[in-house]
Amino acid sequence: MINIGFERIMPTPNYPHGTSAATLSGRSWGSQSNIVNLFKAEIKIALRKSQLGRCCFCRRLLYHDYATHIEHFVDKDGYGDYTFEILNLAVSCGTCNIKKNGHFSTWSTRFSRLFTVPGHSPVVRCPVLKAQLVAGAAFPNNAIDFRWVNPHVHNYSDHIEIDKGWIFHGKTREGMRTIRGVKLNDVGAVELRALAERLGTRGGRLSMLIGAFAELDVHRARDVAKVVVSAIKRRREANAR
Ligand SMILES: [Zn+2]
C-alpha cells in the first residue's frame, strides 16, 4: 500500500485574517477584488498544510503553486452559495481537478437533459451530494450527506485503498464513485511515463538503478524493472548509432 499522507482535512482552516464569510458573500470566484485574491492565496496555503501537501483525491504530492488547484467539492456553478465555504474547499493536483470537472459537466448536462421540463428553469444536480440543497441551507457536514469521498468528513482509507503502481481500490460505494468520477486509475500510467522520463535523464547505469530503487515505495517492482530495461536499451541503441 502507498502512504496516503492524510486521512481527512485537519484542522479545518479558518477564514484568513481580513476575510470572513460575510465579507465574501455574493462575490464571484473569478473577481479580481483584493479580498477574493487574499482569500484564495491564504486558503491555499492553509489547505496544503492540513492536507500534508497532498492532492485531496489521488494523494500524490502537490508541486508548485500553479499546478495546485483549489477544488470546490460541490461545484460553484450549480451552488454559488458555497463558493467561499471552507468546508467545500480542498486543494488538488491539476489532473484530478480537470478530470473531476469533466465528469461534472457530462453528468449535469445529461441529468438536466433528462429532468428539465421544457419552458422551466434547468434542473441542477451535483453528483457528490446525496440530496440536493435548498437555497440558503447550511453546508452539509455529515458523511451520509455525500455520494463521494469528501476530504473534510470521510476517512480516506475507509473508502479507498491505494496499492503500489497507483492502483486505486474502492472499498465502499463512495470510494468507487470517486475513483470512477476522477478517473483515478489513470494516474498509474501518468506516473509510469514520468518515471521513465526521470530515469532517462540519469547519467550512468548505476545512477539509473539508484533512481529506480527510490521509486519502489510507490511503484511495483516489475513496472520499474520494465522501465529500466527499456531505458538501458534505448541508450544502447543511441550509442550504437
Ligand atoms: Zn490528484
Side-chain angles (χ1 to χ4, degrees), residues 163-197:
D163 279 339
K164 276 189 184 181
W166 298 99
I167 296 160
F168 292 77
H169 301 284
K171 296 159 101 175
T172 59
R173 297 178 91 85
E174 289 82 357
M176 286 186 263
R177 285 188 196 110
T178 309
I179 293 169
R180 264 201 316 268
V182 191
K183 296 194 170 68
L184 289 175
N185 277 314
D186 288 357
V187 163
V190 173
E191 284 293 311
L192 216 53
R193 279 198 296 275
L195 168 66
E197 278 171 17

Side-chain angles (χ1 to χ4, degrees), residues 55 57-60 92-93 96:
C55 170
F57 292 120
C58 70
R59 292 305 198 262
R60 285 182 298 166
S92 76
C93 69
C96 285

Side-chain angles (χ1 to χ4, degrees), residues 110-124:
R110 222 176 269 163
F111 192 88
S112 174
R113 206 180 290 147
L114 279 171
F115 294 100
T116 301
V117 180
H120 289 72
S121 50
V123 177
V124 183

Side-chain angles (χ1 to χ4, degrees), residues 154-235:
H154 290 109
N155 241 28
Y156 194 86
S157 62
D158 292 344
H159 301 272
I160 296 174
E161 198 174 277
I162 315 176
D163 279 339
K164 276 189 184 181
W166 298 99
I167 296 160
F168 292 77
H169 301 284
K171 296 159 101 175
T172 59
R173 297 178 91 85
E174 289 82 357
M176 286 186 263
R177 285 188 196 110
T178 309
I179 293 169
R180 264 201 316 268
V182 191
K183 296 194 170 68
L184 289 175
N185 277 314
D186 288 357
V187 163
V190 173
E191 284 293 311
L192 216 53
R193 279 198 296 275
L195 168 66
E197 278 171 17
R198 275 199 300 280
L199 293 184
T201 60
R202 284 184 167 253
R205 196 181 292 188
L206 182 62
S207 156
M208 200 190 282
L209 287 177
I210 292 168
F213 272 124
E215 308 277 351
L216 290 176
D217 52 340
V218 289
H219 287 290
R220 290 180 298 189
R222 64 167 184 270
D223 292 335
V224 174
K226 256 189 238 161
V227 170
V228 169
V229 167
S230 66
I232 291 174
K233 212 169 126 198
R234 262 202 313 278
R235 196 166 291 174

